[in-house]
């Protein structure tokens, strides 16, 4: 038997049957009793039986309601049929229900649904409100709080200003306050009602907000106004535009007799309905969940040595690939430095310049090594081939290629600094100040003893060294995150040196740097034999490999021409481009490619995740216009596009034979490997996309949908012909994913338009429940906040009646605010014990740390192992 808290609702029914023992009057067929039942999933319990007295008017009203509700199922009530007795619905369940009759589950759910101050608003009690009151009225002569500052005083954010004003008006109407200012005592009364934990008090406050004329009835126009207000507070522009339609929907559900208004009791009926489907941890076994929560509580090891050992063990288990690569790299650098140090310590130059020359030459050797290695992580074709065609991916962390690239850049900067400082502050002064006898062994290398620094600067060695240092400083500075992401605001014309374009062009200065490095290495002061001048030996293979890659990219992009099939601009400034797939262009879901548009810039290439699936006959990318290049790209395509019909989003839906639009020429280069492409290694997947970071996950979901279609076709062929038809790609045979959890967290309602078709297709054909999609809209206040209460009501009604979510416009229901990621991991750990789960995240770096740490915690303390992969943009 299930717990009464699972699904537990009250129904009041009437019985009119002479043969029933419940009948209190046998002489009158029209008399009946009122029976209160507790209905659960697998049992019915009689709570009370009592005579019911009604007038004829009430009886006729009752019969009309029963007939109306037999035609359609209404929220808060249902018709219960039985073969042995004839039953009629007395009235809506909540009309005669007292607070004591509410089930604990319904009351608990309702209490969570009307909070006027959320944690995000920072409401921390009357003390904080009173303090803000003093601050806001400090400059006021009368000490009164104006209506316009009420929301700020009680802790609501600026986005809820209109909602706060309506709340103020409702509280003032209840107390017959006509002034636009209130005193401290009146504010205390307002606050006591807002913070009241009683459901009836909260419900009355919410009802008063809607009931602007204070007549105790809600008209359709008043419902429309509060819907528009709630949509505005939650930044749901689409719902705001359809406020009239949704108001009619609420009236249809809560006013089935077309009285033209709804009462407080009707609103209560709707709020008392618990969630109609399991979500997050609700469907979990409570005992297991509790045990797991206890297991995951951090326990501090009292012994510091054991604690250190345990942390080190966990660190090595999680990062062994990175550790061995780093140790190898550091070991090679240390060996080269020691080799050069010892070599120059045994030369004549050591007698004049001492340890300084040993340090300078050791740093130079490390510099040459890193100038060679730094090119390898950006050889994208080579890395993609190695991770796809070899087993090195099991031991080499190819996903960290850019992190290693940055680490080597730091090592180069340190090596340059040590080399320059050792020469300028130690070696050269010693040569200038050495006695003639001591300097004589240096004459074959430096000529006559110099008298000033100009001797060292004017030569090829000095000039090349100075130019290299200047160019490196420029390139390294513009490559830092603050400059590259345009977070530094500089006055014109210096603002041109920030942003991605400045980073991209300045990085090409290294062509000059490498040329000068080779020249600098040939014109060494202390080395004359050609075979001892090793700079070119370090650089030869990496430069040839990198140059070959750049030539291959240029050739491949010019040969693989693409034709633009469709362009659309969606809310959130997202540009979608569908293009033809070049012959032989094979890729995996999760990979990315580079895009070039000569109309914007003939030299710039930018990476974008491929959102189409490998089996699709086209390529698609979704581009968010946030930088210089993407904004110009949007402008270029907008000039050749036509505005859409008023009821649809997008600038253009081109692709028919009648379209004669000359789109700008687009070149592509790729595909290239990315962390998300490894999803096929796992039977259980957790896909997390933040905003536009959903793009690689969408390709994976599409691929899984295509695989499901292929499997269905194979099963159909097997049943109809007795033979299994082999598809060309064979994806159906390689389909391993048994369960996929996809969480898409976005800030704007319009973002759901990007992949609306896919979500509807998925909801329609995923009969086996392989993919579980969770859409989150963070602009909507958390479930339980009064500002989103009406949105939640509308969502439940519309989804139950039409099967469409009012936020996303799809069949996938949208959740509010942000997910509880610990609950998400807990749920997967309980559902998939002794399983390895692949966690793939793409989005802003802010969430990376939390998701990675949770993956580590649950992997260490449960039998479920979470492998975390991330891709930041």
């Amino acid at each position: 038997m299930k717990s009464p808290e699972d699904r537990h609702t009250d129904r009041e029914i009437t019985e009119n049957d002479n043969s029933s023992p419940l009948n209190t009057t046998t002489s009158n067929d029209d008399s009946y009793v009122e029976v209160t039942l507790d209905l659960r999933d697998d049992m019915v319990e009689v709570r009370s039986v009592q005579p019911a007295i009604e007038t004829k008017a009430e009886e006729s009203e009752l019969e009309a309601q029963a007939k109306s509700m037999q035609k359609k199922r209404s929220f808060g009530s249902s018709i219960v049929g039985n073969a042995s007795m004839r039953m009629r619905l007395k009235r809506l369940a909540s009309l005669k229900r007292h607070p004591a009759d509410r089930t604990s589950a319904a009351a608990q759910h309702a209490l969570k649904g009307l909070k006027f101050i959320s944690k995000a608003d920072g409401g921390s009690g009357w003390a904080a409100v009173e303090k803000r009151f003093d601050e806001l009225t400090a400059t006021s002569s009368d000490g009164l709080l104006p209506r316009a500052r009420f929301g700020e005083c009680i802790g609501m954010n600026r986005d809820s200003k209109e909602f706060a004003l309506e709340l103020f008006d409702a509280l003032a109407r209840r107390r017959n306050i006509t002034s636009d200012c209130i005193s401290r005592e009146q504010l205390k009364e307002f606050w006591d009602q807002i913070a009241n934990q009683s459901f009836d008090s909260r419900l009355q406050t919410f009802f008063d907000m809607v009931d602007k004329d204070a007549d105790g009835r809600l008209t359709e126009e008043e419902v429309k106004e509060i819907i528009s207000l709630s949509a505005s507070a939650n930044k749901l522009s689409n719902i705001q535009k359809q406020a009239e339609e949704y108001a009619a929907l609420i009236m249809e559900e809560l006013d089935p007799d077309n009285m033209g208004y709804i009462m407080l009791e009707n609103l209560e009926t709707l709020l008392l309905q618990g969630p109609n489907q399991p979500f997050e941890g609700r469907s979990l076994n409570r005992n297991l969940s509790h045990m797991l929560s206890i297991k995951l509580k951090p326990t501090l090891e009292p012994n510091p040595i054991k604690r250190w050992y345990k942390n080190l063990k966990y660190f090595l288990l999680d990062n062994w690939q990175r550790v061995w690569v780093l140790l190898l790299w550091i070991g090679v650098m240390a060996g080269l430095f020691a080799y050069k140090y010892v070599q120059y310590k045994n030369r004549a130059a050591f007698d004049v310049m001492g340890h300084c020359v040993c340090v300078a030459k050791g740093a130079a050797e490390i510099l040459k090594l890193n100038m060679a290695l730094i090119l390898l992580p950006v050889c994208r074709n080579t890395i993609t081939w190695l991770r796809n065609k070899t087993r090195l991916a099991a031991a080499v962390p190819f996903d960290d290629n850019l992190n290693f690239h940055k680490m080597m850049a730091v090592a180069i900067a340190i090596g340059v600094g040590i080399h320059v400082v050792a020469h300028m502050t130690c070696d050269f002064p010693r040569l200038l100040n050495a006695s003639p006898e001591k300097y004589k062994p240096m004459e074959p290398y430096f000529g006559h003893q110099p008298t000033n620094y100009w001797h060292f600067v004017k030569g090829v060695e000095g000039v090349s060294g100075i130019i290299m240092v200047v160019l490196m400083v420029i390139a390294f500075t513009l490559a830092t995150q603050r400059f590259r992401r345009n977070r530094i605001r500089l006055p014109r014309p210096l603002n041109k040196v920030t942003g991605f374009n400045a980073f991209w062009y300045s990085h090409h200065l290294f062509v000059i740097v490498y040329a000068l490095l080779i020249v600098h290495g040939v014109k060494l002061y202390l080395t004359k034999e050609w075979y001892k001048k090793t700079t070119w030996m370090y650089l030869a293979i990496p430069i040839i490999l990198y140059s070959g890659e750049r030539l291959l990219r240029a050739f491949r992009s010019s040969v693989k021409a693409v034709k633009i099939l469709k362009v659309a601009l969606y809310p959130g400034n997202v540009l979608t481009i569908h293009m033809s797939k070049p012959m032989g262009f094979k890729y995996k879901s999760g990979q990315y490619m580079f895009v070039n548009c000569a109309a914007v810039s003939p030299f710039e290439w930018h990476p974008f995740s491929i959102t189409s699936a490998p089996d699709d006959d086209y390529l698609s990318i979704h581009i968010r216009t946030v930088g210089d290049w993407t904004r110009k790209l949007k402008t270029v395509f907008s000039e050749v596009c036509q505005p859409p019909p008023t009821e649809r989003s997008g600038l253009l839906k081109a692709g028919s034979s009648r379209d004669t639009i000359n789109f700008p020429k687009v070149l592509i280069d790729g595909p290239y490997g990315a962390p998300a492409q490894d999803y096929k290694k796992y039977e259980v997947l957790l896909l997390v996309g933040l905003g536009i970071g959903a793009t690689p996950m969408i390709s994976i979901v599409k691929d899984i949908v295509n695989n499901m279609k292929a499997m269905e076709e194979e099963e159909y062929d097997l049943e109809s012909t007795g033979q299994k038809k082999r598809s060309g790609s064979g994806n159906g045979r390689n389909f391993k994913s048994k369960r996929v959890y996809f969480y898409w967290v976005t800030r704007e309602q319009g973002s759901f338009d990007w992949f609306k078709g896919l979500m509807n297709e998925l909801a329609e054909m995923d009969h086996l429940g392989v993919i579980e999609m969770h859409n989150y809209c963070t602009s909507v206040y958390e479930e339980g906040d009064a500002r989103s209460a009406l949105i939640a009501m509308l969502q439940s009604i519309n989804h139950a009646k039409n099967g469409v979510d009012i936020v996303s416009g799809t069949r996938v229901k949208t959740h509010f605010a942000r997910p509880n990621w610990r609950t998400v991991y807990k749920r997967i750990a309980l559902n998939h014990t002794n399983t390895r789960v692949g966690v793939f995240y793409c989005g802003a770096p802010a969430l990376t740390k939390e998701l990675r740490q949770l993956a580590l915690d649950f992997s260490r303390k449960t039998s479920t192992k979470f492998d975390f992969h991330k891709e930041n943009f």
Side-chain angles (χ1 to χ4, degrees):
M1 182 181 298
K2 293 188 178 181
S3 168
E5 293 182 359
D6 290 345
R7 288 184 186 136
H8 188 188
T9 58
D10 291 343
R11 297 291 184 268
E12 296 177 0
I13 63 174
T14 62
E15 186 221 14
N16 187 9
D17 191 276
N18 291 334
S19 63
S20 172
L22 298 177
N23 196 350
T24 60
T25 305
T26 59
S27 62
N28 187 0
D29 289 343
D30 292 333
S31 63
Y32 48 88
V33 295
E34 182 181 84
V35 184
T36 301
L37 301 181
D38 288 340
L39 303 185
R40 302 168 189 166
D41 286 345
D42 49 6
M43 68 172 292
V44 179
E45 179 181 351
V46 178
R47 170 174 291 187
S48 65
V49 180
Q50 57 186 359
I53 302 175
E54 289 190 307
T55 64
K56 292 190 180 248
E58 288 177 324
E59 181 181 352
S60 59
E61 179 185 351
L62 168 67
E63 291 176 350
Q65 288 182 355
K67 291 178 181 178
S68 173
M69 300 186 75
Q70 282 173 348
K71 296 178 181 178
K72 66 184 180 107
R73 185 168 180 171
S74 177
F75 283 84
S77 59
S78 64
I79 302 299
V80 183
N82 192 299
S84 63
M85 59 177 61
R86 180 167 53 89
M87 297 182 179
R88 292 185 300 166
L89 181 69
K90 184 171 181 62
R91 62 189 65 193
L92 285 173
S94 64
L95 293 183
K96 292 192 68 174
R97 178 190 291 137
H98 300 286
D101 293 330
R102 298 175 186 134
T103 63
S104 59
Q108 185 179 9
H109 171 72
L111 276 174
K112 293 179 179 178
L114 284 175
K115 293 185 295 185
F116 289 91
I117 299 295
S118 67
K119 294 180 180 179
D121 291 322
S124 55
W126 168 246
V129 174
E130 190 174 26
K131 181 179 179 182
R132 284 192 288 266
F133 177 87
D134 294 334
E135 294 173 353
L136 295 173
T137 59
T139 58
S140 175
S141 58
D142 55 7
L144 298 179
L145 178 72
R147 173 176 177 267
R149 308 298 295 272
F150 175 71
E152 182 181 354
C153 185
I154 64 174
M156 283 190 176
N157 56 36
R158 294 180 180 178
D159 295 332
S160 303
K161 184 177 181 180
E162 293 183 7
F163 189 90
L165 295 178
E166 292 294 338
L167 178 59
F168 178 93
D169 293 341
L171 295 170
R173 280 196 302 269
R174 172 64 60 175
R175 292 162 180 79
N176 296 319
I177 299 175
T178 57
S179 172
D180 283 344
C181 297
I182 57 175
S183 64
R184 184 192 304 268
E185 291 73 19
Q186 291 171 327
L187 177 64
K188 181 65 165 61
E189 292 182 21
F190 284 17
W191 177 257
D192 288 341
Q193 184 170 342
I194 293 173
N196 195 324
Q197 295 298 311
S198 166
F199 170 66
D200 293 285
S201 176
R202 292 183 180 182
L203 178 63
Q204 185 65 59
T205 303
F206 186 77
F207 188 88
D208 290 342
M209 287 184 62
V210 188
D211 184 21
K212 293 189 176 182
D213 55 8
D215 62 352
R217 300 176 178 181
L218 302 184
T219 63
E220 186 170 339
E221 185 63 29
E222 288 175 326
V223 173
K224 174 186 172 183
E225 289 182 18
I226 197 65
I227 289 175
S228 179
L229 180 65
S230 298
S232 175
N234 291 279
K235 300 178 181 178
L236 301 174
S237 57
N238 292 344
I239 295 179
Q240 196 170 5
K241 295 175 184 176
Q242 297 175 277
E244 185 173 354
E245 175 186 343
Y246 290 131
L249 180 64
I250 287 184
M251 297 300 293
E252 180 183 352
E253 289 296 330
L254 299 184
D255 181 27
D257 297 326
N258 296 321
M259 303 293 291
Y261 59 85
I262 58 178
M263 304 292 289
L264 176 67
E265 294 83 359
N266 307 120
L267 193 62
E268 177 188 0
T269 299
L270 189 60
L271 285 171
L272 282 173
Q273 298 308 303
N276 57 9
Q277 63 179 1
F279 169 64
E280 301 273 358
R282 294 185 190 127
S283 62
L284 298 176
N285 181 288
R286 286 185 172 82
N287 293 330
L288 286 176
S289 180
H290 178 66
M291 292 172 60
L292 185 60
S293 299
I294 296 175
K295 191 175 184 180
L296 288 172
K297 287 181 179 178
T299 55
L300 183 63
E301 172 62 52
N303 189 322
I305 298 178
K306 290 184 178 180
R307 185 167 65 247
W308 178 85
Y309 171 76
K310 183 185 294 185
N311 293 336
L312 178 63
K313 181 180 71 172
Y314 285 144
F315 176 80
L316 293 177
L317 288 174
D318 297 331
N319 300 278
W320 67 270
Q321 293 175 311
R322 300 181 181 93
V323 168
W324 84 261
V325 172
L326 281 175
L327 289 178
L328 178 63
W329 176 54
I330 294 172
V332 171
M333 288 192 298
L336 289 175
F337 185 91
Y339 164 72
K340 276 295 177 182
Y341 192 97
V342 173
Q343 184 186 59
Y344 273 84
K345 189 175 182 181
N346 296 324
R347 295 184 60 175
F350 181 79
D351 298 330
V352 180
M353 292 177 277
H355 293 280
C356 299
V357 68
C358 301
V359 172
K361 292 300 179 180
E365 203 70 13
I366 293 176
L367 176 62
K368 290 186 285 185
L369 171 70
N370 287 310
M371 286 294 288
L373 293 179
I374 199 170
L375 294 175
L376 300 181
V378 290
C379 291
R380 294 188 289 265
N381 288 291
T382 303
I383 291 178
T384 300
W385 182 84
L386 289 174
R387 71 182 301 162
N388 290 343
K389 303 297 183 181
T390 69
R391 295 184 178 179
L392 286 176
V396 180
F398 289 117
D399 293 344
D400 291 317
N401 60 323
L402 292 183
N403 291 331
F404 281 111
H405 180 78
K406 294 173 185 177
M407 291 180 62
M408 291 170 188
V410 172
I412 288 172
I414 295 174
V416 169
I418 294 175
H419 184 75
V420 171
V421 170
H423 273 328
M424 299 297 293
T425 64
C426 188
D427 290 340
F428 294 165
R430 282 174 176 258
L431 290 172
L432 294 174
N433 299 322
S435 61
E437 295 79 11
K438 196 172 185 179
Y439 177 81
K440 191 171 183 179
M442 297 293 100
E443 288 184 356
Y445 306 107
F446 297 97
H448 296 293
Q449 186 172 7
T451 57
N452 52 53
Y453 274 97
W454 179 247
H455 177 85
F456 303 106
V457 174
K458 67 180 180 180
V460 175
E461 303 90 338
V463 172
S464 61
I466 292 173
I467 295 176
M468 279 192 294
V469 170
V470 172
L471 295 181
M472 283 184 178
V473 169
I474 294 173
F476 286 170
T477 301
L478 298 183
T480 58
Q481 192 175 40
R482 291 174 62 84
F483 277 90
R484 180 166 50 88
R485 294 189 177 271
N486 207 11
R487 293 177 180 171
I488 294 181
R489 302 299 178 185
L490 298 176
R492 293 188 179 187
L494 295 179
N495 62 330
K496 297 294 183 181
V497 301
T498 62
F500 184 85
N501 287 345
F503 155 75
W504 193 85
Y505 285 115
S506 65
H507 246 55
H508 287 76
L509 294 175
F510 276 95
V511 175
I512 303 174
V513 171
Y514 275 100
L516 293 176
L517 182 61
I518 294 174
V519 172
H520 190 81
V522 170
K523 296 290 184 177
L524 291 175
Y525 282 118
L526 297 175
T527 303
K528 300 302 180 182
E529 299 85 353
W530 69 270
Y531 56 87
K532 292 184 179 181
K533 299 177 180 181
T534 57
T535 303
W536 66 273
M537 300 180 188
Y538 278 100
L539 301 179
I541 294 178
I543 287 179
I544 291 173
L545 181 62
Y546 183 75
S547 301
E549 284 241 350
R550 295 299 294 263
L551 291 173
L552 175 62
R553 294 180 206 170
F555 174 76
R556 185 168 57 188
S557 61
S558 62
V559 171
K560 293 183 177 180
V562 295
K563 178 183 178 182
I564 304 298
L565 304 177
K566 183 172 70 174
V567 176
L569 183 67
Y570 290 107
N573 283 326
V574 170
L575 178 69
T576 303
I577 301 178
H578 286 230
M579 62 196 80
S580 60
K581 184 192 291 186
M583 187 70 67
F585 190 93
K586 297 181 179 180
Y587 64 96
K588 298 179 180 180
S589 291
Q591 293 186 331
Y592 67 96
M593 65 183 182
F594 279 77
V595 177
N596 169 271
C597 182
V600 178
S601 172
F603 305 110
E604 292 184 54
W605 292 79
H606 293 264
F608 299 100
S609 297
I610 304 173
T611 54
S612 54
D615 287 343
D616 292 338
D617 57 358
Y618 63 91
L619 292 174
S620 66
I621 54 175
H622 288 66
I623 303 171
R624 183 149 200 179
T625 55
V626 292
D628 299 339
W629 188 86
T630 53
R631 279 193 287 264
K632 291 179 182 177
L633 184 71
K634 172 191 170 184
T635 302
V636 167
F637 276 100
S638 299
E639 291 174 352
V640 297
C641 292
Q642 300 173 356
T646 55
E647 71 275 6
R648 301 189 61 183
S649 64
L651 281 177
L652 182 71
K653 297 292 182 183
S656 66
S657 58
R658 293 174 295 177
D659 294 323
T660 58
I661 299 175
N662 293 321
F663 287 110
K665 184 179 180 181
V666 171
L667 302 178
I668 64 171
D669 173 44
Y672 294 107
Q677 75 175 59
D678 295 329
Y679 74 96
K680 288 188 176 180
K681 296 179 181 178
Y682 305 94
E683 293 183 350
V684 180
L685 298 173
L686 172 57
L687 309 178
V688 181
L690 207 62
I692 196 64
T695 48
M697 312 308 169
I698 289 296
S699 180
I700 293 174
V701 172
K702 279 185 177 181
D703 190 33
I704 294 174
V705 169
N706 289 341
N707 285 329
M708 291 163 59
K709 290 180 180 178
M711 292 177 67
E712 289 182 356
E713 291 175 359
E714 288 181 358
E715 290 177 0
Y716 176 78
D717 292 334
L718 187 61
E719 292 176 359
S720 58
T721 65
Q723 294 181 348
K724 184 183 290 187
K725 181 180 178 181
R726 290 192 175 186
S727 59
S729 61
N731 281 341
R733 301 191 304 275
N734 298 326
F735 181 57
K736 296 181 180 179
S737 300
K738 295 181 179 179
R739 190 67 166 163
V740 180
Y741 300 89
F742 179 28
Y743 285 79
W744 183 18
V745 184
T746 184
R747 187 169 39 193
E748 301 164 344
Q749 181 188 13
S751 303
F752 297 113
D753 288 346
W754 306 346
F755 310 112
K756 182 182 291 186
L758 173 66
M759 287 189 283
N760 286 330
E761 180 185 7
L762 179 63
E764 181 178 350
M765 71 164 299
D766 188 17
H767 310 297
L768 301 177
V770 175
I771 303 177
E772 184 178 301
M773 294 193 68
H774 296 272
N775 294 337
Y776 280 81
C777 187
T778 59
S779 70
V780 185
Y781 289 95
E782 62 184 350
E783 296 178 22
D785 195 295
R787 285 162 289 189
S788 62
L790 200 61
I791 304 298
M793 296 180 208
L794 275 173
Q795 185 186 50
S796 297
I797 294 175
N798 198 68
H799 200 275
K801 183 175 183 179
N802 303 317
V804 177
D805 180 69
I806 62 170
V807 179
S808 66
T810 70
R811 297 175 63 182
V812 180
K813 194 171 183 180
T814 303
H815 307 292
F816 303 158
R818 291 173 173 80
N820 184 331
W821 294 113
R822 177 168 288 276
T823 302
V824 172
Y825 274 87
K826 181 197 297 185
R827 178 174 178 232
I828 296 174
L830 288 175
N831 289 341
H832 305 282
T833 56
N834 299 311
T835 305
R836 185 166 292 276
V837 179
V839 182
F840 295 89
Y841 168 68
C842 183
L847 190 57
T848 303
K849 183 178 180 181
E850 180 182 358
L851 293 179
R852 178 188 284 119
Q853 188 59 48
L854 286 172
L856 297 178
D857 291 344
F858 279 84
S859 296
R860 295 168 183 173
K861 299 183 179 181
T862 69
S863 62
T864 308
K865 306 304 176 186
F866 293 86
D867 293 342
F868 181 76
H869 308 264
K870 61 96 177 177
E871 184 177 349
N872 298 139
F873 53 77

